[in-house]
Amino acid sequence: MSSIFGLYHRDGSPVDKAALEAMGAAHAAWQPDAKGIWCEAGLGLGHCLLGNTPESQSEQQPLVSTVAGDVCVITADLRLDNRTELESALGLEAGQCGQNNDVELLMLAWQKWGDDCARHLLGDFAFVVWDGANQRLFCCRDHMGIRPFYYFMTDDLFAFASDIRVLLALKALPRDLSPYAVAIYLNEGELESPFQTFLKSVYKLPASMYMTVSGREVARGSYWQPEDAPSLSFDSSEACAAALRGLLKRAVSDRLRSTFPVYAHLSGGLDSSAIATLAARQLAGQNRQLKAFNWVYPPTETDDDSHYEWSFARRLANDEGIDLQNIDLSVEDILNDLKNSDIALGNNVDTWYETKTLDSVKKGEGRTILSGWGGDELISHAGYAVYGELFWTGCFSSAIHGLVTEAKQANKPLRRFAGLVRDEILLPRLPVWLRDLAGNSGSAFPDYLKCAQADFRDYVQGQSLCFYKRPVLNNRAVQLNLFHTGHIQNRIDSWSASAWEQGIEYRYPLLDVRVIEFALGLEAAYYRRDGQGRYI
């Protein structure tokens, strides 16, 4: 993994080298394996490396190339997962294949495809290219926004970094909080936004987006849209499951590329168990062992250790040879976290156990944690809107049959059936204000705004935050909504911020773009059938 940073004086004035060095000094906790700075006139690009993949050990960044007298410079935080396919597309000869590290492949891709290069990349990446031929910066972030990218911009200055703390090294950066971001946080319980941070002057480059910055112009665009995922058709559920299994194996395999011990979350649930099993088997073939963490504390003598929270993960660990540790969390640990964390720096999710997980991974000299985040929302999604979609598209008998089948599994079938009809058939069709009156706010979080000062509550009432409560009328709309509102992104950004100082990166096999497109291409019935959610 890498941390990238830079300054671009858009007015052409000389770069402030002291400011650039201050940004580099903000990485003191990293003790980077390598670091570099490139400066010329009004531009300075920086890079700090923590080599994780085998290929990254040879990286020297920023990478500079000169073609026909035009200078091209790249600083990148990336892991490319389609190296073989990329080498073929770039026309590399057999003797050249496998010899280039990822940033060298990126440079070749830029020289071949320019602004369209991201369309040919698979993996996790955030990078900046100085396009000397056109005198502009090209900034880009991966499909799901796994690698962070923050920026600050005025008419005269553009500054970027992988972490907000690096930008805060700049004296020119205003520290004012964004009331709109605070409003989202209190309304949703998290800062769910593709581009907002808690600092008014600092923004995120959204996932799957690129941005070009020159002295006079700023342009933004997207190289990938989840809505464009093609529809899929299979002869049977078994064929669909086999195709998914093949994709998951590849997604996990690509994320096991590390010269350090690999760790994973293992709750015993569907997502983490699938990832941990595939990872453990592949690592065993390399004579390596997967190490995993369960957020539930170790069982005591008075606990029923056959309860699934303990037994499922433990059984899987025993079967697959996984080194599993339980996390023991105290009230003091939570208080300490609250006292020492600042949500304005990027981490605003309350996953207290993860602080101890990071400490343990650091002590074990690991640099990678595999996570199942995104599974609930996308690939193993429970199909919350499936029956409503069937009902309102005229498939009444299929919808009612599904609701009845699911209701029969409850202790009070009639009550469960009525609740399902209310929540899944009727409420999604009502406007927001009417749903609120019916007792469904669209949010699982408490109303934190009740605790806010009166003038701030008045401010929030004047903001347009109802898009978070938009009715989602079909299964795919639910999935796309979680992507576009920033729900998935916020967890990624928060965990990245929490792990940054430790020099640890999270990898998400279920957020591999190939898996995402597969998930979005499936018919709704694959997600919920015969009373069973997460069917596929």
Side-chain angles (χ1 to χ4, degrees):
M1 63 180 291
S2 298
S3 182
I4 61 175
F5 58 97
L7 293 173
Y8 175 37
H9 287 207
R10 303 177 65 197
D11 59 0
S13 61
V15 69
D16 185 347
K17 292 185 179 180
L20 193 63
E21 290 172 354
M23 296 174 80
H27 296 79
W30 264 45
Q31 298 180 341
D33 299 330
K35 54 185 177 181
I37 286 179
W38 179 89
C39 283
E40 185 176 282
L43 176 65
L45 302 178
H47 185 270
C48 287
L49 171 70
L50 286 179
N52 196 352
T53 65
E55 299 83 14
S56 65
Q57 309 303 319
S58 64
E59 285 184 12
Q60 293 183 339
Q61 295 196 53
L63 182 63
V64 183
S65 176
T66 303
V67 178
D70 294 319
V71 175
C72 177
V73 189
I74 294 179
T75 183
D77 173 21
L78 80 166
R79 186 200 70 253
L80 296 179
D81 293 336
N82 62 330
R83 288 174 52 83
T84 301
E85 297 89 340
L86 197 55
E87 288 170 337
S88 176
L90 290 169
L92 296 184
E93 297 179 0
Q96 296 176 283
C97 293
Q99 296 184 1
N100 295 287
N101 57 46
D102 286 352
V103 72
E104 290 169 341
L105 287 177
L106 175 59
M107 177 67 82
L108 294 173
W110 170 262
Q111 292 171 344
K112 182 177 178 67
W113 295 301
D115 290 6
D116 286 333
C117 67
R119 301 180 189 274
H120 301 268
L121 307 179
L122 288 176
D124 302 339
F125 53 83
F127 62 86
V128 171
V129 180
W130 170 244
D131 178 7
N134 296 297
Q135 293 292 293
R136 60 174 188 153
L137 282 179
F138 178 86
C139 313
C140 190
R141 195 174 182 190
D142 63 70
H143 302 76
M144 298 303 293
I146 308 301
R147 299 296 172 97
F149 190 97
Y150 298 94
Y151 69 92
F152 160 64
M153 182 161 50
T154 67
D155 290 341
D156 300 329
L157 175 67
F158 177 75
F160 68 90
S162 295
D163 190 84
I164 293 176
R165 282 159 285 201
V166 179
L167 287 177
L168 287 173
L170 299 174
K171 294 180 180 179
L173 182 76
R175 267 64 172 174
D176 299 342
L177 292 177
S178 164
Y180 185 69
V182 176
I184 295 173
Y185 180 73
L186 294 180
N187 189 65
E188 296 301 307
E190 297 181 11
L191 180 51
E192 298 187 353
S193 171
F195 57 89
Q196 287 277 352
T197 76
F198 279 108
L199 297 179
K200 188 185 296 186
S201 60
V202 176
Y203 292 90
K204 298 182 288 189
L205 181 64
S208 72
M209 296 287 289
Y210 63 85
M211 175 170 63
T212 60
V213 183
S214 66
R216 296 182 179 181
E217 297 180 344
V218 176
R220 298 175 177 84
S222 175
Y223 61 87
W224 177 79
Q225 292 284 350
E227 289 87 347
D228 295 337
S231 298
L232 299 176
S233 178
F234 295 94
D235 293 334
S236 66
S237 296
E238 291 75 18
C240 179
L244 171 57
R245 190 178 299 112
L247 284 175
L248 288 179
K249 285 182 178 179
R250 174 69 188 272
V252 170
S253 176
D254 288 337
R255 286 158 179 77
L256 291 179
R257 284 165 46 214
S258 176
T259 55
F260 296 87
V262 175
Y263 291 79
H265 293 143
L266 179 53
S267 67
L270 180 61
D271 300 321
S272 66
S273 295
I275 292 170
T277 298
L278 292 171
R281 292 176 182 177
Q282 292 184 39
L283 287 174
Q286 305 169 21
N287 294 317
R288 302 169 67 192
Q289 184 182 35
L290 179 69
K291 303 175 185 293
F293 293 95
N294 188 315
W295 282 355
V296 179
Y297 64 86
T300 65
E301 292 182 357
T302 58
D303 290 320
D304 176 12
D305 61 7
S306 65
H307 189 270
Y308 74 92
E309 290 280 7
W310 289 293
S311 63
F312 284 10
R314 178 59 56 189
R315 184 191 310 172
L316 186 67
N318 291 339
D319 288 347
E320 301 295 340
I322 299 171
D323 180 1
L324 178 64
Q325 301 177 42
N326 290 77
I327 298 295
D328 197 356
L329 189 71
S330 67
V331 173
E332 289 74 21
D333 291 326
I334 296 176
L335 288 173
N336 186 61
D337 226 15
L338 284 168
K339 290 176 181 177
N340 292 291
S341 62
D342 182 351
I343 63 174
L345 298 180
N347 181 15
N348 61 84
V349 297
D350 300 334
T351 49
W352 314 112
Y353 295 91
E354 202 58 16
T355 300
K356 281 205 161 185
T357 299
L358 289 168
D359 290 341
S360 296
V361 173
K362 181 72 172 180
K363 291 176 183 176
E365 299 183 341
R367 293 186 177 179
T368 300
I369 300 177
L370 300 178
S371 170
W373 176 246
D376 287 343
E377 288 72 19
L378 290 167
I379 187 58
S380 58
H381 177 61
Y384 308 118
V386 168
Y387 297 142
E389 179 179 351
L390 289 170
F391 185 88
W392 292 109
T393 54
C395 301
F396 305 116
S397 60
S398 296
I400 298 302
H401 173 75
L403 293 171
V404 169
T405 302
E406 195 159 320
K408 286 180 178 179
Q409 299 175 18
N411 292 329
K412 298 180 178 180
L414 288 177
R415 183 173 181 178
R416 175 61 175 162
F417 177 77
L420 288 170
V421 170
R422 171 185 179 272
D423 294 339
E424 303 196 23
I425 305 296
L426 302 178
L427 284 180
R429 290 281 162 169
L430 300 179
V432 172
W433 65 271
L434 196 52
R435 277 187 287 142
D436 287 346
L437 286 178
N440 185 338
S441 67
S443 173
F445 295 102
D447 186 0
Y448 297 117
L449 286 171
K450 290 181 179 178
C451 304
Q453 296 177 3
D455 57 345
F456 190 76
R457 288 201 301 271
D458 292 340
Y459 165 80
V460 175
Q461 292 300 320
Q463 305 306 306
S464 298
L465 298 178
C466 62
F467 61 88
Y468 288 100
K469 301 178 182 179
R470 265 182 265 175
V472 280
L473 304 179
N474 59 67
N475 192 67
R476 199 179 196 196
V478 173
Q479 296 167 297
L480 293 172
N481 188 59
L482 292 168
F483 175 82
H484 287 301
T485 59
H487 173 74
I488 294 173
Q489 187 66 64
N490 185 62
R491 171 69 66 86
I492 294 169
D493 290 334
S494 289
W495 275 4
S496 179
S498 69
W500 184 81
E501 279 192 320
Q502 304 273 37
I504 296 169
E505 65 173 291
Y506 287 90
R507 296 177 177 177
Y508 305 90
L510 294 177
L511 292 179
D512 183 298
V513 67
R514 295 162 293 191
V515 177
I516 295 299
E517 289 183 340
F518 181 92
L520 292 173
L522 291 180
E523 296 176 11
Y526 280 114
Y527 289 99
R528 198 169 174 189
R529 187 181 299 180
D530 299 331
Q532 182 178 346
R534 313 178 81 178
Y535 179 79
I536 193 56

